[in-house]
Amino acid sequence: MSPEPDSAAMLRLQAGDDLALNELMDRWRTRVISYLIRMVSSQTTAVDLAQETFVRVYSSRLSYRPSATFSTWLFAIATNLARHHLRWQRRHPAVSLDDPVDGEALHDRLPSASGTPSGDAVKSEQAIAVKKAIGDLPQDLREAVILFEYEGMSHAEIAAVVGCSAKAVETRLYRARQILRQKLRFLL
């Protein structure tokens, strides 16, 4: 995605064109929700946090600087909301009806349209194991892995999102890979 349309839309939003927010939401909603699902492990919560992310984009529109990459700024807002939610959730534990049953979401239990049943079962088990292993990582490592592997961000972009140096991101990714390699060695 080219950063120019996003910066232009933010400048229009700053100038009072509220419809520019719709343009940004249309372009980024799916990626933000996907990122937040991986962070909080709940689609319902991720959708709520994504909506709140765009509310914050609107309310913080005057603090946006076009010299900054819009996606970095946007994902920093989403990351902060996810962190806040996870902290709140640790202090107020509850069981949601939307959470996966036995570690498996409904879409993971539906049959695949292609492949053999045994092959699909193996792939499904592997996917569940990888999701669980990533979900079990410490928060700082999980954020780095998700932003790098799923969102395709560079070390510098991740550093801007999570508020650390690019070298710290590199270290976090290394540590996360070591942990994942150890936890998932049975798949290798």
Side-chain angles (χ1 to χ4, degrees):
M1 247 178 234
S2 174
E4 293 82 23
D6 299 324
S7 293
M10 279 305 297
L11 291 174
R12 289 196 335 266
L13 188 61
Q14 286 176 336
D17 180 6
D18 292 344
L19 294 177
L21 182 62
N22 292 341
E23 182 181 322
L24 292 168
M25 288 174 65
D26 289 343
R27 238 189 322 262
W28 288 97
R29 178 186 301 118
T30 304
R31 283 188 62 191
V32 170
I33 290 172
S34 295
Y35 169 66
L36 289 167
I37 286 172
R38 292 181 187 102
M39 288 298 296
V40 300
S41 301
S42 166
Q43 182 171 359
T44 304
T45 302
V47 169
D48 291 344
L49 290 174
Q51 289 175 347
E52 180 62 24
T53 298
F54 288 107
V55 167
R56 299 273 173 100
V57 165
Y58 181 79
S59 64
S60 302
R61 67 192 178 280
L62 298 177
S63 67
Y64 175 75
R65 300 289 169 250
S67 59
T69 304
F70 177 76
S71 62
T72 302
W73 188 67
L74 178 68
F75 279 95
I77 293 170
T79 298
N80 288 333
L81 287 170
R83 286 177 180 169
H84 176 75
H85 171 76
L86 292 170
R87 277 192 305 270
W88 186 89
Q89 195 174 33
R90 276 193 300 273
R91 289 190 305 264
H92 304 91
V95 176
S96 171
L97 296 176
D98 294 327
D99 286 343
V101 177
D102 297 327
E104 185 177 18
L106 177 61
H107 63 81
D108 292 331
R109 288 186 272 158
L110 295 175
S112 171
S114 64
T116 64
S118 63
D120 289 346
V122 169
K123 285 180 185 175
S124 177
E125 287 175 11
Q126 290 173 341
I128 291 168
V130 170
K131 285 180 190 177
K132 179 167 179 9
I134 291 173
D136 290 345
L137 288 171
Q139 182 176 332
D140 59 335
L141 303 182
R142 185 173 63 243
E143 289 170 354
V145 167
I146 292 171
L147 289 170
F148 184 77
E149 295 295 338
Y150 293 99
E151 296 304 326
M153 290 187 171
S154 69
H155 291 185
E157 290 171 324
I158 296 168
V161 168
V162 300
C164 67
S165 69
K167 186 65 175 170
V169 169
E170 186 178 329
T171 302
R172 289 176 186 183
L173 288 170
Y174 175 79
R175 287 179 43 218
R177 287 182 184 123
Q178 294 296 99
I179 292 169
L180 291 172
R181 189 173 290 120
Q182 182 67 24
K183 284 186 174 188
L184 300 171
R185 67 182 176 273
F186 67 93
L187 293 177
L188 300 175

